[in-house]
């Protein structure tokens, strides 16, 4: 149960004064639904207000504060703006422009002939100066109440920074003093303020680095503590030791030798599975590094040990692909594999369920359907989760909680994640890396081209297709809207159809899964030559004959995403090419990022460099990283804060694993505050 102390913070945002239906919408768009969300909606910058006595054109574009006298009003007919013409003491004129308000209100705010201190952003409008919606119009006597520095917040339409600042002030007023969860020596070493003080300070002065750091630290600390607790909990439960004797693995007829990285990883997994503590292991390996073989070996260890194994894929089509691969590889071993997806109904499904229950099925491959209520295993010993960036801590825990004897867990991801972020997202897991590619792989050639050369690209595509090869064409990411993504993809598909007719297929995120699968199957069977896609091209889909990928507006993609998309090609059909089309006005950073793509095929290096290049400002949890992990800590801060938080959380858990002492109790508050409380309920003593 959440401590009562936190209730004021978890109250609906509509409980704040002045938040009615009109504000609720824009707040919702920013996902600010509770008081705490507003408190944690931190300013990203600030303006310094210039004190002036004279209007000057060279101040245009800046925020000024200046005494002005109202000279006359210009009220437009209908819904037009109301303007106050106001003069400085030299008689220079500025128009104060108000849209949408009643002129009566404006006249009351700034009566004719009176002098007020006016603040806002000065602009030139035609030959005149203007301030649109001044943010302050104060009696001169109140000049001192005008702060020199004002916070700027991330906004959505219908909100102003000033309004958000006022809401934040209310939120802080309601915020309780919280017990201190940070180790005292750490607190004094960094000179961090107490929680509530930090909150007040950052909203008052967005440049306050100590306050910002403290709040970010809290979030990272809560994250690390939660993961440690989850890990402790999972480890405390008794699973089943599975030792393979190698008899099934020996029967495999592999056309190649495992790479060193594969052998090492399989060894690590074998060691884990031989323990009664359930394995919690993350396998990171770039696209094409051979994760499937590792999964297969782990599954065989489970079967050799007398248990069953399950392989979970994120999509229907990937599940089918894995099923086909495993069936082929396991032919002649006597191991039974079955598939189960949402699409299987009736007798097929019944048959699989029976086989699982009586143990005649050794390995089950499928989508989430394999963990539905009705699915009962005789003895599930291992779960392998493939390509699951959509598979968060909560799901991982549920999986473990469901079984009477928790199965060993292997999570495989091809998304290159920098080390620091791995600790944040998968901190409860041990990590193996496949950092070596199978031999003989020809590196993908990456070329960056201006989008002005589109015609040449299409000519190249024509040559590629007439040589009997296939290609992907990925369309740009347009803002955050799926709708406009789709429009762009549809337009591109149409344009390509003018030239290539029905060789062009289109797949996008708004299609139903069945439709998507059908198009992918068309492409896999080479009935389509070009697959135009929004970013939904299924991760892991294997079409070796597709050796060209064109990515439009590549500069708008995250590097990890570009790298993943590029991994669709280079799957064994000879030389592959990735064409990155770029706009013409690129920032230095965009240039550097695309150059890095051209230069490197190493997902891990790309991830680390991308983190460095993007630097601060951009929070995690954007499209690139898949799931939002932090809202206060920037990637830049993580490098510093994560190791500290990890050590601090470890120390606390070592001393007080039940979080019973005063610091432990305070740490519980932090877990609830950041909604990382999944771990708390599971504390043995709590
Ligand atoms: P991913 O890590 O992307 O899932 P896969 O497991 O699909 O990679 O492997 C990619 C390709 O490499 C497959 O065609 C697979 O058969 C092949 N492969 C895997 N391991 C080796 C190896 N040790 N030597 C040669 N080829 C391999
Ligand atoms: Mg794979």
């Amino acid at each position: 149960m959440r401590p009562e102390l936190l209730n004021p913070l978890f109250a609906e945002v509509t409980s704040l004064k002045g938040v009615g239906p009109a504000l609720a919408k824009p707040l919702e768009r920013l996902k600010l639904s509770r008081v705490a969300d507003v408190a944690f909606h931190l300013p990203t910058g600030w303006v310094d207000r210039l004190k002036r006595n004279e209007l000057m054109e060279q101040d245009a574009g800046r925020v000024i504060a200046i005494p002005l006298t109202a000279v006359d009003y210009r009220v437009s007919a209908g819904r037009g703006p109301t303007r106050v013409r106001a003069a400085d003491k030299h008689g220079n004129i500025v128009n104060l422009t108000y849209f949408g308000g009643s002129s009566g209100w404006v006249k009351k705010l700034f009566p004719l002939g009176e002098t007020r201190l006016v603040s806002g952003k000065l602009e030139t409008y035609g030959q005149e100066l203007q301030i649109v919606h001044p943010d302050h119009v104060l009696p001169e006597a109140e000049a001192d109440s005008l702060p020199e520095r004002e916070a700027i917040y991330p906004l959505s339409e219908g909100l102003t920074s000033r309004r958000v600042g006022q809401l934040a002030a209310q939120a802080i007023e309601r915020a309780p003093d919280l017990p201190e969860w940070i180790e005292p020596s750490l607190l004094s070493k960094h000179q961090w303020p107490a929680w509530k003080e930090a909150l007040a300070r950052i909203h008052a002065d967005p440049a306050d680095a100590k306050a910002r750091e403290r709040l970010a630290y809290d979030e990272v600390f809560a994250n690390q503590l939660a993961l440690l607790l989850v890990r402790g909990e999972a480890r405390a439960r008794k699973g089943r030791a599975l030792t393979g004797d190698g008899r099934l693995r020996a029967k495999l007829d592999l056309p190649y030798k495992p790479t060193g990285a594969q052998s090492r990883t399989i060894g690590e997994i074998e060691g884990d599975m031989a323990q009664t503590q359930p394995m919690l292991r993350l396998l990171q390996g770039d696209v094409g590094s051979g994760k499937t073989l590792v999964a297969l070996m782990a599954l065989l260890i489970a079967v050799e040990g007398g248990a069953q194994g399950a392989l979970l894929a994120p999509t229907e089509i990937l599940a089918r692909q894995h099923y086909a691969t495993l069936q082929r590889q396991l032919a002649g071993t006597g191991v039974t594999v079955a598939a189960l997806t949402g699409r299987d109904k009736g007798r097929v499904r019944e048959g699989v369920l029976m086989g699982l229950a009586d143990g005649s099925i050794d390995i089950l491959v499928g989508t989430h359907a394999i963990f539905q209520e009705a699915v009962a295993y005789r003895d599930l010993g291992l779960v392998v989760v493939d390509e699951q960036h959509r598979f968060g801590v909560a799901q991982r825990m549920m999986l473990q909680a469901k079984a009477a004897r928790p199965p060993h867990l292997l999570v495989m991801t091809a998304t290159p994640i920098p080390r620091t972020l791995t600790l944040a997202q998968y901190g409860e897991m041990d990590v193996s890396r496949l950092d070596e590619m199978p031999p003989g792989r020809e590196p993908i050639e990456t070329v960056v081209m201006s989008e002005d050369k589109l015609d040449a690209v299409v000519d190249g595509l024509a040559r590629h297709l007439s040589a009997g090869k296939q290609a992907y064409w990925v369309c740009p990411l347009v803002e955050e809207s799926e709708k406009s993504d789709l429009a762009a993809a549809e337009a591109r598909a149409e344009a390509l159809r003018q030239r290539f007719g029905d060789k062009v297929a289109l797949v996008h995120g708004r299609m139903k899964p069945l439709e998507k699968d059908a198009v992918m199957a068309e492409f896999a069977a080479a009935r389509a030559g070009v697959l135009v896609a929004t970013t939904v091209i299924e991760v892991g889909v294997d079409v070796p004959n597709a050796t060209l990928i064109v990515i439009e507006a590549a500069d708008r993609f995250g590097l990890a995403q570009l790298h993943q998309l590029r991994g669709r090609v280079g799957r064994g059909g000879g030389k592959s090419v990735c064409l990155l089309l770029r706009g013409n006005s690129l920032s230095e950073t965009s240039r550097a990022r695309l150059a890095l793509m051209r230069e490197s095929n190493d997902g891990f290096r790309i991830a680390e460099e991308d983190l460095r290049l993007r630097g601060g400002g951009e929070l995690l949890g954007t499209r690139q990283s898949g799931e939002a992990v932090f809202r206060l800590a920037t990637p830049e801060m993580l490098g510093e804060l994560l190791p500290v938080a990890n050590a601090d959380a470890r120390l606390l858990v070592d001393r007080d694993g039940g979080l019973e002492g005063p610091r432990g109790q305070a740490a519980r508050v932090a877990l609830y505050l950041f909604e990382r409380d999944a771990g708390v309920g599971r504390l043995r003593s709590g």
Side-chain angles (χ1 to χ4, degrees):
M1 277 272 286
R2 185 163 63 217
E4 268 171 38
L5 178 73
L6 292 176
N7 287 352
L9 287 168
F10 282 85
E12 297 290 320
V13 72
T14 46
S15 71
L16 292 176
K17 256 194 318 252
V19 181
L23 269 190
K25 267 268 159 54
L27 289 174
E28 194 183 315
R29 273 197 292 270
L30 291 169
K31 300 208 166 65
L32 307 181
S33 60
R34 291 154 315 175
V35 174
D37 300 327
V38 174
F40 284 143
H41 191 63
L42 301 190
T44 45
W46 60 88
V47 282
D48 285 325
R49 190 171 277 118
L50 304 172
K51 290 217 162 123
R52 292 289 189 252
N53 282 310
E54 190 179 351
L55 287 161
M56 292 180 293
E57 222 168 286
Q58 61 264 38
D59 279 340
R62 313 174 77 168
V63 175
I64 59 169
I66 183 169
L68 295 173
T69 307
V71 178
D72 66 21
Y73 304 117
R74 300 212 169 145
V75 181
S76 358
R79 306 179 128 252
T82 301
R83 289 199 173 85
V84 182
R85 282 167 49 79
D88 67 11
K89 64 178 183 200
H90 304 285
N92 300 312
I93 294 288
V94 59
N95 287 308
L96 312 180
T97 307
Y98 290 89
F99 292 95
S102 80
S103 58
W105 174 80
V106 175
K107 288 173 181 172
K108 228 167 101 187
L109 179 75
F110 201 170
L112 274 192
E114 304 221 353
T115 301
R116 294 280 184 273
L117 185 65
V118 176
S119 166
K121 187 167 171 193
L122 189 70
E123 294 166 355
T124 51
Y125 182 72
Q127 298 298 311
E128 304 191 297
L129 291 171
Q130 77 166 356
I131 295 175
V132 178
H133 289 281
D135 34 59
H136 298 276
V137 176
L138 301 172
E140 279 190 292
E142 288 172 32
D144 288 346
S145 72
L146 196 61
E148 266 177 49
R149 174 166 285 180
E150 212 154 3
I152 296 176
Y153 291 90
L155 298 175
S156 70
E157 200 187 319
L159 273 178
T160 60
S161 277
R162 222 177 130 217
R163 202 78 190 81
V164 175
Q166 288 164 350
L167 295 178
Q170 272 194 66
I172 294 162
E173 212 168 282
R174 294 197 187 184
D177 284 309
L178 298 180
E180 187 52 76
W181 49 77
I182 299 179
E183 172 76 31
S185 62
L186 199 59
L187 206 62
S188 61
K189 176 176 160 201
H190 291 280
Q191 296 174 305
W192 284 334
W195 178 77
K196 185 169 172 172
E197 190 195 333
L199 210 52
R201 273 169 51 174
I202 193 73
H203 285 286
D205 180 3
D208 190 329
K210 288 290 168 196
R212 193 179 285 274
E213 207 175 82
R214 145 95 215 208
L215 295 170
Y217 180 80
D218 291 342
E219 184 177 44
V220 179
F221 174 72
N223 159 276
Q224 288 299 296
L225 182 59
L227 290 173
L228 275 175
L229 293 174
V230 167
R231 181 182 171 86
E233 170 65 19
R235 292 261 149 169
R237 296 190 56 198
K238 242 195 163 69
R240 165 166 184 198
L242 292 170
T243 40
D245 55 8
R247 95 195 115 85
L248 296 173
R249 280 170 281 168
K251 284 193 199 157
L252 275 188
D253 186 18
L254 287 180
Y256 46 73
K257 256 183 56 198
T259 63
Q262 283 170 324
S263 300
R264 189 186 67 231
T265 302
I266 293 163
E268 286 163 350
I269 290 169
E270 196 164 14
D272 285 356
M273 289 177 68
Q275 312 292 319
T276 51
Q277 284 183 340
M279 167 168 77
L280 287 172
R281 188 166 286 278
L282 175 71
L283 172 58
Q284 294 183 313
D286 225 329
V287 173
S289 60
K291 293 185 292 298
T292 317
L293 177 70
V294 176
L296 173 64
M297 291 302 188
L299 290 164
L300 286 181
I301 293 170
V303 179
E304 286 170 8
Q308 292 164 301
L311 173 57
L312 175 64
T315 63
E316 175 92 31
I317 184 162
L318 277 172
R320 298 279 161 204
Q321 220 167 56
H322 273 314
Y323 176 59
T325 310
L326 292 192
Q327 261 198 326
R328 200 174 57 239
Q329 287 178 321
L330 291 171
T333 59
V335 175
T336 346
V337 200
L340 186 67
T341 67
R343 208 192 282 173
D344 296 308
K345 303 259 151 66
R347 285 186 32 208
V348 179
R349 183 178 151 86
E350 291 305 312
V352 172
L353 293 185
M354 273 173 54
L356 287 172
D358 68 19
S360 55
I361 293 173
D362 299 307
I363 295 174
L364 182 66
V365 184
T367 54
H368 278 93
I370 68 178
F371 293 116
Q372 277 161 6
E373 290 305 322
V375 183
Y377 296 81
R378 187 179 64 83
D379 186 5
L380 182 62
L382 168 72
V383 175
V384 181
V385 179
D386 189 16
E387 309 278 13
Q388 273 299 29
H389 21 266
R390 278 158 269 183
F391 205 71
V393 186
Q395 281 106 320
R396 300 200 290 270
M397 280 176 39
M398 225 169 58
L399 221 168
Q400 297 265 309
K402 226 187 130 177
R405 266 200 306 195
H408 297 287
L409 177 64
L410 177 66
V411 174
M412 309 198 293
T413 174
T415 312
I417 314 173
R419 275 180 202 282
T420 44
L421 302 196
T422 305
L423 195 56
Q425 283 183 25
Y426 299 95
E428 92 282 22
M429 309 191 89
D430 300 305
V431 180
S432 299
R433 278 190 165 191
L434 287 184
D435 49 10
E436 180 189 347
M437 282 287 175
R441 200 67 54 86
E442 244 188 287
I444 299 163
E445 185 187 334
T446 300
V447 181
V448 180
M449 281 175 84
S450 159
E451 58 196 12
D452 297 345
K453 306 250 172 72
L454 196 66
D455 287 343
V457 173
V458 175
D459 287 342
L461 175 62
R463 287 191 297 275
H464 183 80
L465 293 177
S466 52
K469 297 280 186 180
Q470 290 167 280
Y472 298 99
W473 189 298
V474 182
C475 286
L477 200 61
V478 187
E479 295 306 313
E480 292 289 308
S481 143
E482 257 184 46
K483 220 188 210 159
S484 30
D485 281 11
L486 176 55
E490 270 172 344
R492 179 59 62 212
E494 204 34 58
L496 291 174
R497 274 192 192 115
Q498 304 280 332
R499 178 137 178 201
F500 303 113
D502 58 6
K503 275 193 185 162
V504 181
L506 171 65
V507 64
H508 58 76
R510 297 203 139 197
M511 283 176 159
K512 300 215 169 62
L514 281 181
E515 294 175 297
K516 245 192 264 179
D517 284 4
V519 177
M520 292 305 297
E522 283 282 293
F523 186 66
R527 282 192 294 273
V530 195
L531 183 67
V532 178
T534 52
T535 46
V536 299
I537 308 183
E538 305 293 352
V539 177
V541 161
D542 207 359
V543 182
N545 190 45
T547 52
L548 169 66
I549 184 165
V550 179
I551 304 178
E552 277 191 65
D555 42 293
R556 292 196 217 153
F557 289 90
L559 288 195
Q561 204 175 13
L562 281 180
H563 182 66
Q564 285 229 307
L565 288 169
R566 176 167 66 181
R568 299 306 106 223
V569 299
R571 300 191 149 233
K575 177 119 202 112
S576 285
V577 175
C578 170
L579 278 185
L580 302 177
L581 302 186
R582 58 157 175 83
N584 284 327
S585 47
L586 287 191
S587 67
E588 275 308 305
T589 310
S590 298
R591 246 173 235 290
R593 295 167 88 236
L594 291 182
L596 176 63
M597 285 303 297
R598 197 175 51 215
E599 211 177 278
S600 178
N601 262 310
D602 177 347
F604 292 121
R605 176 167 166 225
I606 288 172
E608 299 288 351
E609 289 279 304
D610 191 29
L611 185 60
R612 199 180 55 77
L613 282 172
R614 271 186 296 145
E618 189 171 343
L619 294 180
L620 296 178
T622 55
R623 286 183 162 198
Q624 286 92 331
S625 51
E627 63 180 17
V629 181
F630 299 113
R631 59 177 163 182
L632 304 181
T634 59
E636 201 177 48
M637 295 166 108
L638 275 183
E640 293 263 329
L641 296 182
L642 233 149
V644 183
N646 181 272
D648 192 19
R650 264 175 209 281
L651 200 67
L652 177 61
V653 170
D654 283 348
R655 280 196 210 140
D656 179 12
L659 303 187
E660 292 298 338
R663 247 201 93 208
Q665 293 287 352
R668 282 177 190 240
V669 174
L671 291 173
Y672 280 105
L673 178 61
F674 290 100
E675 294 170 272
R676 301 302 212 286
D677 48 293
V680 184
R682 281 154 214 280
L683 285 176
R684 266 151 298 150
S685 44

